[in-house]
Amino acid sequence: MKTRTAVILKSLFYAAVFVFAARYAVRNAPALSGALDSMSTSRVALAAIPVLLGYLARIKTWRGISGGLGMRVGMREDARSWLLSFLGRYIPGNAGLVAVRLTSYPGVPRGRIVAATIVEYGLTLGSAALMVLAGMPWLSGVLPGLAPVVVTIFAVVVLVVSSPWFFTRAYNSVMKLVGRPTLETIPTTGRHMFSVLSAITASTLHGLAFALILGAQLDATFPRFLLTASSGYFVGGLAGVLFILSPAGIGVREAMTVAALGPVFGQEKVLLAAGVMRGLTVVAELFLFVLAEVVSRRGGQRREPIPGIS
């Protein structure tokens, strides 16, 4: 009886995750449609490619981290769980992300799930900070003078703290103090570096997508345009992630992106691009989740060892 109740509650929670994300997409569909009227459809379609590839790179990041911590889960089910938890960000308070993961891996100790999520969060923030730094020379006149120093320190701290050499020792020390199980499996240096590169690749791809939407041209100005646009976009991204009360950083990310890039490209142009990028990412997340759900059901839910990096 208790098991049946747990399954029902779990199903209701998962449904809530999907409904909140779909509700956001539907509510913003008219505004997105209006924005697309003033923008090249082919350009938006082209930007959708790096958006989708960026999410696949983020799934690989999670796979590298979770596998390194001993979570041996099949690719299909792991991708589905990650995408569903990512949609959980749209529940107010961002509570959905962790809650979904804690219920998506039966048989896996919760400590491993929490630890993997913390490391992934650190790599996501670290890669975003690196993207901000890459375009900082062209935003130096817009952002506060101490911004480069603050972002550099932030990037170094989160990347070091999320490294296996530091994190596992700190985590195990805390667990011993509170009498909880420690982490026995530690990611190898090679696996962790793979996760770091995957996280940076994901951020780079989403920065490219935003630059394409903003109007990047494939000419001599492209590298500078890409770095500047990506830097401003991830200024908004960091603000959205850190402002946990806003579901998925909605509103915060867009406002900070406009503040950073408005003086460079024009406020209306940046606001339009930020809105289209948000709509594109939500649609991509929903599409990939539905695809993962179909593939997972057809292939069955099975657990398998992960040899090396898988």
Side-chain angles (χ1 to χ4, degrees), residues 121-178:
Y121 203 75
L123 293 189
T124 300
L125 292 177
S127 63
L130 291 178
M131 295 300 295
V132 172
L133 287 173
M136 191 67 76
W138 298 284
L139 291 179
S140 58
V142 178
L143 300 177
L146 289 176
V149 176
V150 173
V151 175
T152 300
I153 294 174
F154 178 79
V156 171
V157 169
V158 295
L159 289 174
V160 169
V161 168
S162 60
S163 68
W165 317 283
F166 182 95
F167 175 78
T168 52
R169 287 173 173 78
Y171 183 90
N172 286 344
S173 296
V174 173
M175 291 300 101
K176 287 178 180 178
L177 286 175
V178 298

Side-chain angles (χ1 to χ4, degrees), residues 26 42 52 104 106-107 112 150 159 176 198 206 216 233 240 243 253 258 294 308:
V26 171
S42 59
L52 290 170
S104 293
R112 293 185 187 181
V150 173
L159 289 174
K176 287 178 180 178
S198 295
H206 279 198
Y233 177 71
F243 195 80
R253 186 174 80 182
V258 172
V294 171

Side-chain angles (χ1 to χ4, degrees), residues 14 23 29 55 64 89 169 177 194 201 247:
Y14 284 5
R23 177 172 171 266
Y55 281 124
R89 298 172 304 132
R169 287 173 173 78
L177 286 175
F194 169 81
T201 299

Side-chain angles (χ1 to χ4, degrees), residues 5-305:
T5 301
V7 170
I8 292 174
L9 292 175
K10 179 179 175 179
S11 300
L12 289 174
F13 182 76
Y14 284 5
V17 169
F18 190 79
V19 167
F20 270 101
R23 177 172 171 266
Y24 175 81
V26 171
R27 285 182 59 184
N28 288 271
L32 180 60
S33 177
L36 291 176
D37 290 339
S38 59
M39 185 176 293
S40 169
T41 304
S42 59
R43 180 175 289 276
V44 176
L46 181 62
I49 297 173
V51 167
L52 290 170
L53 292 176
Y55 281 124
L56 294 179
R58 293 199 65 174
I59 293 173
K60 293 297 287 184
T61 302
W62 170 251
R63 291 280 290 166
I65 296 168
S66 61
L69 289 171
M71 294 171 58
R72 308 298 186 180
V73 182
M75 178 64 186
R76 295 188 185 96
E77 184 61 18
D78 211 12
R80 175 191 172 279
S81 298
W82 186 90
L83 288 162
L84 181 61
S85 69
F86 207 65
L87 289 173
R89 298 172 304 132
Y90 293 101
I91 292 181
N94 285 302
L97 190 149
V98 177
V100 167
R101 289 189 182 174
L102 290 176
T103 57
S104 293
Y105 295 95
V108 177
R110 290 191 171 186
R112 293 185 187 181
I113 301 173
V114 172
T117 300
I118 293 173
V119 173
E120 183 201 21
Y121 203 75
L123 293 189
T124 300
L125 292 177
S127 63
L130 291 178
M131 295 300 295
V132 172
L133 287 173
M136 191 67 76
W138 298 284
L139 291 179
S140 58
V142 178
L143 300 177
L146 289 176
V149 176
V150 173
V151 175
T152 300
I153 294 174
F154 178 79
V156 171
V157 169
V158 295
L159 289 174
V160 169
V161 168
S162 60
S163 68
W165 317 283
F166 182 95
F167 175 78
T168 52
R169 287 173 173 78
Y171 183 90
N172 286 344
S173 296
V174 173
M175 291 300 101
K176 287 178 180 178
L177 286 175
V178 298
R180 305 291 294 177
T182 58
L183 297 174
E184 298 178 357
T185 305
I186 300 175
T188 63
T189 300
R191 180 180 283 274
H192 182 71
M193 291 309 300
F194 169 81
S195 299
V196 172
L197 291 175
S198 295
I200 294 174
T201 299
S203 296
T204 302
L205 286 166
H206 279 198
L208 172 60
F210 180 73
L212 291 172
I213 294 171
L214 193 57
Q217 300 295 324
L218 297 178
D219 54 25
T221 65
F222 179 76
R224 176 174 175 175
F225 192 108
L226 172 61
L227 292 175
T228 306
S230 297
S231 181
Y233 177 71
F234 282 101
V235 166
L238 285 174
V241 169
L242 296 175
F243 195 80
I244 61 174
L245 295 180
S246 173
I250 293 173
V252 178
R253 186 174 80 182
E254 289 75 15
M256 290 303 297
T257 301
V258 172
L261 295 178
V264 180
F265 297 109
Q267 289 191 350
E268 291 186 3
K269 185 177 180 180
V270 176
L271 181 60
L272 174 63
V276 172
M277 183 66 178
R278 170 68 78 172
L280 199 57
T281 55
V282 175
V283 171
E285 290 163 12
L286 290 169
F287 168 75
L288 287 174
F289 170 70
V290 172
L291 180 63
E293 180 74 15
V294 171
V295 172
S296 179
R297 289 182 180 277
R298 286 184 176 180
Q301 298 183 10
R302 60 189 181 91
R303 298 181 180 276
E304 57 188 24

